[in-house]
Amino acid sequence: MLWACILLPQLALDAVLRRLPDPARPLALVGGPAQLRTLHAVNATAAAAGLRAGLRLTAAHALLPEVALVDHDAQAESRWQQFLAAWAYRHSSQVGAQWPGCLLLEVRASFGLLGPWPRIEARLREELTALGFSHRIAMAPTPRAAHVLAGLRDGLSVSNPAALRDLLDRVPVRRARLPGDAGERLHRMGLRDLRSVRALPADGLRRRFGAAVLDHLARLYGDADDALTLYRPPDRFDLRIELGYDVESHTPLLFPLRRMIGDLCTYLSIRDGGVQRFTLRLEHAIAHTDVDVGLLAAEREPALLFELTRSRLERVQLERPVVALRLIAQELPPFVPATRDLFDVRTQQNLPWPQLRERLRARLGDGAVHRVAPTCDPRPERAWRRVDADDGAVAPAPPRPPRPAWLLARPVPLRDARLRLVSGPERLESGWWDGADARRDYYVLETAQGQRAWAFAPPGEQGGWMLHGWFA
Amino acid sequence: MGGAIAIEALLATQTLWHAGRHAAIAADGEPTGHAALDALLPQRGWPRRALTELLLPADGVGELALLMPTLARFTQAGATVALIAPPYLPYAPAWQAAGVDLTHLQLIDAAARDALWAFEQCLRSGACAAVLGWPAQADAAALRRLQVAADSGACLGFALRDRRHADNPSPAALRLVHTRTGDGTGVWQVRKCRGGPAPVQAFAPGAC
């Protein structure tokens, strides 16, 4: 593996400067408590006038009265580091952002796609300059070595492990990013470079400086693995489009909606994910209306998602004009494409069942499409249940006497003067355990019209028929 | 003369019907599972890619028993069968006892207004092998749409309707009416079948 380290020496300052129209004006970031305001960072013009980090605010004003002051946001650095990690993710699948002020990219795997290292390096520099971040880049076989080399000289690159060891041996001990103040103490002990440090007996070094120094050296030279926490893109999608004018009907919303869905699907395909539930937020001048779109399975087909969202949107009454649209997807589960048989007999089918089901649910309601399954209860009204989920086979029911294919939701009186008894009775006496006690005699009857009815009567009687099903 | 069209071409495209001679109809129907009914139908089964109309005097006269072998075969093969807004609850144990694999039986609840739309969507999608619907209010135009949808989706559509619609013309490829013979047994009379004259003989489910 080859690691590139992008050192961002003035991340917080660059983040402020890149949004200013004239970055050459003297500027300083101010931090610290209100009584003791000190400069956190200064730009080049301010530095030329004698300002430097750590200076008291009053002293800075005395030196350069026209300096622009911006409050330093402690969170900004890590936020911008995450932003740049997302940018770096385009160039490498393994991006580390765990060390403050720098990014690590595994670049060897990207050679095949993006070309050799000089080309990648030029590309990184070009894009960072366009983004407005000053940077130093170095490449080495281990991430720590890349970090050290980037601190030594901008543009240093070593790909051969043996050459790396030679180079590292000559690194001044204070520049080797040893943990804590170990580098300074070693320097004061008269050790100038890493070669002499490594020549020391290991147990003596461990006793004086702790195991961290030895660990650092082993990882620096590649003798031990360096476990990096790799950057993962966030599992949510949030996009907002300001319309710039008031929209009071659905049709003008469809064009921006199509673009938002397209962006979402691009994002999903980059992440190799799908979306199962998302919210379209119609923002009004004061409040907002949420349109929830839920699917049974993860999808990322733009046309399908657009159709679904559109049909949900069209059922919403717009009571107030819409000024902005926002698409929020909180859950982005992995996308599992449906597998299809190569020799599928129904090749001409143009809409697979999951998509048809989503279309039906979008118009008819979330619970409209379902299945039924038998249960083990002997009472007919409880011998079946709804199945809303779409997976899982249906287990067979225990064998029973003949049952009607149609069941009435609740029994109704059957009034027919010319009923003919076909079979029966079948005594059903059950349900004492849950309070819904049932004692019935079921008969199969034939009506005057030739219908086969499944009706019950109180035990021992043949009258007062209650119709419960049809043998259709 | 550019307007003259050879009569053979018209006959070949079946736009012209030769009186007194039956057009050769391929026996490529979907077997109904009832040998006697297959023998009556010109395509030896349910017409494929078409709408079949079952006209009933009332619910529960054996309309599902007629369809059950077909539905059982489809679902056991893993194909989806959809019921659009059935008038009663399909009673799971009975359907399972008839051989239907309930894993592939999908029920779609819809109000009367949306049921036709759902029926057409299911037919047209091609995702279902058979779709059963109860279009009570459908007129000829709506049935025509269903017939076209069944054709484009290559699917078997079954429309179960009241018998009073029997006298109205219908674009369905096959129409079966449930009637009763003199001794009271229910039989299925073919009212119309595409590809041949309707057979005089009726199909009695219990007889075979």
Side-chain angles (χ1 to χ4, degrees):
Chain A
M1 295 216 279
L2 285 175
W3 292 87
C5 178
I6 302 174
L7 209 59
L8 304 155
Q10 41 180 23
L11 187 54
L13 188 65
D14 285 336
V16 175
L17 286 177
R18 69 196 292 266
R19 59 167 199 247
L20 292 184
D22 181 13
R25 283 189 55 215
L27 179 125
L29 295 187
V30 192
Q35 296 83 10
L36 194 69
R37 305 282 279 171
T38 51
L39 301 193
H40 184 268
V42 296
N43 71 349
T45 325
L51 302 194
R52 58 190 160 73
L55 206 65
R56 295 278 294 273
L57 186 59
T58 44
H61 269 308
L63 281 172
L64 190 66
E66 70 270 26
V67 65
L69 298 173
V70 175
D71 271 335
H72 171 57
D73 177 9
Q75 302 297 317
E77 262 175 67
S78 70
R79 206 167 55 232
W80 284 103
Q81 196 183 11
Q82 287 298 312
F83 167 78
L84 287 174
W87 159 78
Y89 198 64
R90 284 160 50 182
H91 300 280
S92 166
S93 61
Q94 298 188 49
V95 174
Q98 59 178 351
W99 296 334
C102 80
L103 289 175
L104 292 157
L105 285 79
E106 204 290 308
V107 285
R108 169 162 284 171
S110 308
F111 284 177
L113 180 64
L114 303 175
W117 168 243
R119 200 178 299 169
I120 298 184
E121 188 188 358
R123 189 168 163 158
L124 293 177
R125 286 182 191 280
E126 185 188 327
E127 292 186 14
L128 277 172
T129 312
L131 285 171
F133 288 94
S134 57
H135 52 270
R136 301 161 69 99
I137 300 181
M139 183 191 70
T142 68
R144 272 171 212 253
H147 194 198
V148 167
L149 296 186
L152 286 179
R153 186 154 60 83
D154 190 15
L156 208 55
S157 75
V158 183
S159 53
N160 182 357
L164 175 74
R165 299 182 90 87
D166 283 348
L167 188 64
L168 286 176
D169 275 348
R170 290 185 275 123
V171 169
V173 72
R174 284 191 293 185
R175 309 283 297 274
R177 299 190 187 275
L178 290 172
D181 58 348
E184 189 61 34
R185 283 163 66 199
L186 283 165
H187 181 76
R188 287 190 197 142
M189 287 164 69
L191 296 155
R192 289 293 175 258
D193 52 17
L194 286 181
R195 185 199 307 273
S196 43
V197 174
R198 273 162 47 89
L200 295 175
D203 56 337
L205 198 62
R206 182 181 296 116
R207 235 185 355 263
R208 281 167 184 269
F209 293 97
V213 171
L214 288 172
D215 274 356
H216 179 75
L217 286 176
R219 289 174 180 169
L220 187 60
Y221 278 79
D223 298 331
D225 278 342
D226 207 345
L228 288 177
T229 317
L230 293 177
Y231 168 80
R232 276 181 58 94
D235 278 342
R236 71 193 297 275
F237 179 86
D238 192 338
L239 181 69
R240 185 170 181 274
I241 290 185
E242 193 124 359
L243 298 173
Y245 43 89
D246 286 2
V247 174
E248 296 186 20
S249 68
H250 292 111
T251 327
L253 294 177
L254 294 180
F255 181 73
L257 177 66
R258 191 188 290 274
R259 253 183 56 195
M260 291 172 105
I261 300 272
D263 285 357
L264 172 65
C265 293
T266 313
Y267 180 75
L268 292 176
S269 69
I270 289 171
R271 292 202 61 241
D272 196 26
V275 67
Q276 197 159 4
R277 191 159 284 283
F278 58 92
T279 304
L280 179 70
R281 181 167 290 176
L282 311 173
E283 295 186 3
H284 312 299
I286 303 167
H288 58 76
T289 312
D290 278 354
V291 181
D292 285 314
V293 183
L295 294 89
L296 285 182
E299 285 290 348
R300 66 160 181 238
E301 181 65 38
L304 166 74
L305 290 177
F306 176 69
E307 275 306 315
L308 289 179
T309 318
R310 177 189 179 156
S311 58
R312 303 246 166 163
L313 181 65
E314 281 170 354
R315 290 197 301 176
V316 174
Q317 291 281 333
L318 292 180
E319 286 161 5
R320 276 172 288 184
V322 179
V323 295
L325 283 177
R326 190 167 163 195
L327 189 71
I328 308 162
Q330 298 282 7
E331 296 157 43
L332 306 176
F335 176 68
V336 184
T339 48
R340 239 176 251 146
D341 195 351
L342 179 60
F343 303 106
D344 203 337
V345 286
R346 295 180 66 86
T347 47
Q348 78 279 27
Q349 74 179 22
N350 40 22
L351 190 68
W353 169 250
Q355 295 194 11
L356 172 65
R357 181 188 60 205
E358 296 307 338
R359 182 181 285 180
L360 294 169
R361 288 177 69 233
R363 169 143 170 191
L364 305 175
D366 278 348
V369 183
H370 62 100
R371 298 179 297 156
V372 290
T375 60
C376 292
D377 201 301
R379 285 165 292 175
E381 61 272 24
R382 298 194 185 206
W384 67 282
R385 65 186 169 88
R386 271 176 75 110
V387 184
D388 282 312
D390 196 57
D391 45 355
V394 174
R400 293 191 178 95
R403 288 283 183 258
W406 286 138
L407 190 75
L408 271 66
R410 58 178 53 85
V412 295
L414 177 66
R415 293 192 187 86
D416 193 329
R418 289 187 295 156
L419 285 174
R420 189 171 70 83
L421 220 63
V422 178
S423 71
E426 179 194 343
R427 172 71 55 91
L428 203 140
E429 192 162 357
S430 182
W432 50 267
W433 57 87
D434 56 10
D437 222 342
R439 286 190 76 216
R440 305 163 191 163
D441 277 351
Y442 275 94
Y443 292 86
V444 180
L445 306 169
E446 196 176 272
T447 67
Q449 278 185 302
Q451 300 158 284
R452 285 282 176 101
W454 198 50
F456 64 84
E461 295 178 28
Q462 286 194 3
W465 298 111
M466 294 296 281
L467 177 68
H468 207 175
W470 294 112
F471 284 90
Chain B
M1 284 268 288
I5 303 168
I7 199 160
E8 283 76 17
L10 283 175
L11 282 171
T13 53
Q14 295 191 355
T15 48
L16 195 67
W17 185 57
H18 200 301
R21 191 193 293 173
H22 295 317
I25 282 288
D28 65 342
E30 188 69 43
T32 61
H34 307 278
L37 182 59
D38 283 353
L40 284 180
L41 298 174
Q43 290 163 330
R44 302 288 170 259
W46 304 120
R48 289 178 200 272
R49 312 177 68 108
L51 190 69
T52 299
E53 221 181 325
L54 302 183
L55 298 157
L56 317 168
D59 292 318
V61 292
E63 67 273 21
L64 288 180
L66 186 71
L67 299 175
M68 216 48 111
T70 316
L71 304 186
R73 196 175 63 247
F74 279 149
T75 52
Q76 280 169 13
T80 302
V81 171
L83 307 188
I84 315 290
Y88 305 101
L89 302 171
Y91 191 45
W95 286 65
Q96 204 169 44
V100 175
D101 182 356
L102 295 174
T103 315
H104 300 289
L105 184 75
Q106 302 282 352
L107 309 177
I108 292 144
D109 296 338
R113 199 167 50 84
D114 287 330
L116 266 178
W117 172 83
F119 199 178
E120 192 192 341
Q121 289 292 322
C122 289
L123 285 171
R124 191 180 295 281
S125 72
C128 308
V131 185
L132 274 67
W134 285 260
Q137 309 296 330
D139 54 4
L143 287 174
R144 176 82 207 144
R145 282 186 72 114
L146 295 177
Q147 163 66 32
V148 171
D151 184 37
S152 58
C155 151
L156 263 59
F158 293 99
L160 285 78
R161 309 179 70 205
D162 194 276
R163 196 170 62 186
R164 63 190 157 86
H165 299 295
D167 293 332
N168 302 335
S170 161
L174 174 67
R175 302 183 86 194
L176 296 178
V177 189
H178 187 271
T179 51
R180 303 185 77 188
T181 55
D183 57 349
T185 51
V187 293
W188 292 96
Q189 181 75 46
V190 181
R191 180 106 191 168
K192 168 194 173 183
C193 57
R194 192 186 283 171
V200 183
Q201 204 183 351
F203 163 64
C208 56

